[in-house]
Amino acid sequence: MKALEGVKILDFTHVQSGPTCTQLLAWFGADVIKVERPGVGDATRKQLVDKPGADSLYFTMLNHNKRSLELNSKNETGKEVLTRLIKECDVLVENFAPGALDRMGFGWEQVQKINPRMIMASVKGFGPGKYENCKVYENVAQCAGGSASTTGWLGDRPMVTGAQIGDSGTGLHLALGIVTALFQREKSGRGQRVMAAMQDGVLNLCRVKLRDQQRLDAGPLKEYSQFGENIPFGEATPRAGNDSGGGQPGRILKCKGWEDDPNAYTYFITQAAVWEKICDVIGKPEWKTDPDYATPPARLPRLNEVFDTIEAWTMTKTKFEVMDTCNPLDIPVGPILSMKELAEDEGLRATGTVVEVDHPERGPYLTVGCPIKLSDSDVEVTRSPLLGEHSIEILRDVLGYSEADIERIGASGAVGDMKPQAAE
Ligand code: COA
C-alpha cells in the first residue's frame, strides 16, 4: 500500500515545474495520467537529445511512474474524453501559459461544474498582478524571485544557480498544496484551486535574503565578507559570494589538487561553538585566547585573514581528508561534490536517491529517485512512458469505454496513435 494509492491525477503538465510535482505524487502511489498532444507530446521529449530517436533524459528524468494518454484537447471528441477524465480524477495539475486552459474550455469554473470534488492545481510564473499573463521559465523566475540579485560576487553581474529552484522548487510547493487540499477535502468534501507562482516559490526559498534586507536598516551586515573589507552597503541585500546565509561565517576554500580539479574545494564554517577546535586543527592555538580572534564579534572584521589561514591548512588535505578530520570534531565542513561523484556515490544508490532505470529506447540511465523517504510507502522508480503508451488502456480501464467507443474516438483524431505499444 502506498500513501497516495487510489488518488487519480489528470496531469496536464509539461517541461519541468509541473512534471516534477506529478512525478513526486506518482512516487507516493498516485495514478498519474499524463495528457500529451498527439504526435508531439511534452516538448522536452525531443529537447537536448543525446540518443537520436529516443526520448531525452530531460523528459525521462521528470516523468517516471506516469501513464501517457495522447489526446487532442481541442478536438470535440477529445473534449468529451477529457470531461470524463475530469469526472473520474481527484486532481488536475497544469502549468500551461496563463489562459491556455480557459481557451481549451476547461477553466476553474467549468472544472468545478463537472466535478466539485476536483482539486485544480497550477504553476504560473507570477501570481495575480501586472505580470500575471507572462510566460515564465526557470531563470526568469530566479531573477524575478530575488535569487539572482543575491547570488554571485559583489561588484559582478547577478547570477543564476544550478539548482532549479524556479521549476523544481515550485513543483515541490505545488505538490504540498495538492496533498494539503486532498487532506482538507476529507473534511469539506469539496475540491479547491491550488496555485503556486514561480516568483513566490523562489522568494520563499530566498527568505533569509529578505531577512537581511530588513536588517540593513539597523546597520551593515557584519557577517558578510564586505563588512570586513570596509565596503559600504547599499540599499538592497548585496551579492555575498560564498558567505554563509546564517550567523556563522563560512566560505568555500581550496583543497589539495585544486590546481587541476575544479571541484577540489570544501565549504568550511567557523562555527563559534567549535572555534577552539578549529584553532587546534589549523595550527593556531594562540587564537583561542587572543582577544582579536577569540570571540565571533572580534573575528568579523578579520574574516579574510581567518579564512586565508584556514585555507592554508585545507590546501594540504583533500576535500575528503578535511571532512574526515573535521567531522569527528563537529566542525561543519562539506566537500564540493561533482555530478560525476554523486552519480557514482554508493550511499546515494543504496538509499534510492540515485537510481538506474532501464528504458526500451535508450537502455539504462541514471536518475534522481524520490528524495523524500516515507517508512510506510516504498518508492519503486519505473521508467517514463512512451508517447501515448497507455492511451487505449486508460480509455478502457479508467473510463470504461467499449471497443466500439475506442474505435470511434480513434477515428475522430482525438487520440494519437491508437496502436498498443510493442511489449518490451
Ligand atoms: N491538445 C491540444 N492542444 C494542446 C494540448 C493538447 N493535448 N496540450 C497543450 N496544448 C496547447 C495549449 O492549449 C496551448 O494552446 P493555445 O496557446 O492556443 O491556447 C499551446 O498548446 C501551448 O501551450 P503553452 O503552455 O502556452 O506552451 P508554450 O510552449 O507556449 O509555453 C511555458 C511554455 C512553460 C512558457 C508556459 O506553459 C508557461 O508559462 N507555463 C507556466 C509557468 C511554467 O510552468 N514555467 C516553467 C516551465 S518548466
Side-chain angles (χ1 to χ4, degrees):
M1 164 104 189
K2 309 231 180 202
L4 295 182
E5 214 165 284
V7 174
K8 291 198 192 82
I9 312 267
L10 179 53
D11 181 10
F12 247 135
T13 68
H14 63 155
V15 201
Q16 186 184 162
S17 64
T20 354
C21 165
T22 51
Q23 178 168 261
L24 278 170
L25 301 175
W27 281 336
F28 293 143
D31 180 7
V32 176
I33 298 169
K34 185 171 171 106
V35 179
E36 298 188 79
R37 221 177 323 178
V40 184
D42 188 324
T44 60
R45 283 188 185 268
K46 297 298 169 237
Q47 277 175 14
L48 308 178
V49 168
D50 58 324
K51 295 200 172 180
D55 281 334
S56 69
L57 287 167
Y58 195 0
F59 176 82
T60 54
M61 290 179 71
L62 287 162
N63 289 286
H64 294 104
N65 297 62
K66 304 181 185 177
R67 300 202 272 177
S68 169
L69 166 65
E70 224 179 332
L71 177 129
N72 183 351
S73 60
K74 290 179 174 167
N75 162 308
E76 278 315 307
T77 315
K79 285 182 198 286
E80 170 204 312
V81 176
L82 260 185
T83 307
R84 294 272 297 262
L85 275 169
I86 292 170
K87 276 195 189 128
E88 192 58 39
C89 291
D90 301 280
V91 186
L92 187 162
V93 193
E94 61 96 19
N95 67 312
F96 288 128
L101 213 54
D102 296 288
R103 287 193 290 279
M104 260 180 217
F106 293 104
W108 172 227
E109 309 262 294
Q110 181 64 13
V111 166
Q112 259 181 315
K113 272 191 209 137
I114 301 169
N115 179 0
R117 283 176 60 81
M118 173 63 87
I119 288 154
M120 183 163 145
S122 306
V123 170
K124 294 287 168 266
F126 293 92
K130 61 180 171 177
Y131 298 125
E132 66 188 23
N133 290 322
C134 295
K135 290 189 175 183
V136 170
Y137 289 96
E138 172 67 49
N139 287 346
V140 176
Q142 287 199 26
C143 294
S147 176
S149 76
T150 53
T151 305
W153 298 101
L154 194 65
D156 210 334
R157 277 172 208 251
M159 190 170 283
V160 295
T161 143
Q164 305 286 284
I165 56 177
D167 279 341
S168 290
T170 310
L172 266 168
H173 283 88
L174 192 73
L176 176 61
I178 290 170
V179 290
T180 306
L182 280 168
F183 189 67
Q184 189 173 3
R185 194 180 72 171
E186 290 297 303
K187 289 168 265 173
S188 70
R190 283 195 316 276
Q192 63 181 299
R193 190 103 170 75
V194 179
M195 168 79 180
M198 295 168 80
Q199 180 184 42
D200 301 17
V202 171
L203 180 58
N204 183 36
L205 298 175
C206 290
R207 181 171 291 264
V208 300
K209 298 298 178 178
L210 187 59
R211 173 202 68 194
D212 290 351
Q213 178 63 43
Q214 296 171 87
R215 288 174 59 231
L216 269 177
D217 292 343
L221 306 171
K222 292 186 180 160
E223 76 286 5
Y224 278 54
S225 292
Q226 79 177 75
F227 173 72
E229 291 159 3
N230 290 318
I231 301 172
F233 284 78
E235 285 184 342
T237 306
R239 291 189 262 297
N242 290 318
D243 289 347
S244 97
Q248 310 285 342
R251 296 228 184 134
I252 289 184
L253 305 177
K254 291 172 182 165
C255 292
K256 197 195 244 174
W258 66 273
E259 298 90 337
D260 304 313
D261 176 356
N263 295 304
Y265 289 82
T266 186
Y267 202 85
F268 197 108
I269 300 176
T270 54
Q271 190 90 14
V274 288
W275 174 245
E276 300 204 342
K277 292 179 190 172
I278 295 172
C279 295
D280 285 334
V281 163
I282 63 171
K284 279 281 182 189
E286 64 275 20
W287 277 2
K288 289 193 267 188
T289 48
D290 186 331
D292 281 347
Y293 301 91
T295 65
R299 290 194 289 277
L300 285 177
R302 298 178 177 76
L303 287 182
N304 281 354
E305 185 199 350
V306 167
F307 280 111
D308 285 350
T309 309
I310 299 173
E311 190 171 62
W313 174 75
T314 58
M315 282 165 70
T316 67
K317 308 260 179 257
T318 68
K319 60 189 179 188
F320 298 111
E321 288 166 349
V322 170
M323 184 88 168
D324 291 345
T325 304
C326 293
N327 230 10
L329 300 172
D330 290 333
I331 302 171
V333 295
I336 307 305
L337 295 180
S338 68
M339 279 299 146
K340 182 169 188 299
E341 286 166 327
L342 290 164
E344 291 163 358
D345 190 302
E346 282 175 18
L348 292 175
R349 291 205 184 207
T351 59
T353 297
V354 174
V355 194
E356 189 172 292
V357 182
D358 207 1
H359 188 277
E361 291 175 345
R362 45 176 317 115
Y365 65 94
L366 276 192
T367 195
V368 184
C370 185
I372 305 161
K373 319 291 184 198
L374 270 64
S375 65
D376 224 4
S377 184
D378 238 20
V379 173
E380 190 202 337
V381 180
T382 60
R383 69 166 174 84
S384 58
L386 302 175
L387 178 58
E389 181 171 352
H390 307 97
S391 295
I392 294 177
E393 108 184 11
I394 289 163
L395 293 178
R396 191 186 50 220
D397 302 343
V398 179
L399 299 179
Y401 279 116
S402 65
E403 294 305 320
D405 274 338
I406 292 174
E407 220 164 281
R408 170 181 64 84
I409 291 164
S412 77
V415 180
D417 186 1
M418 295 283 276
K419 290 191 290 297
Q421 299 283 345
E424 279 167 43

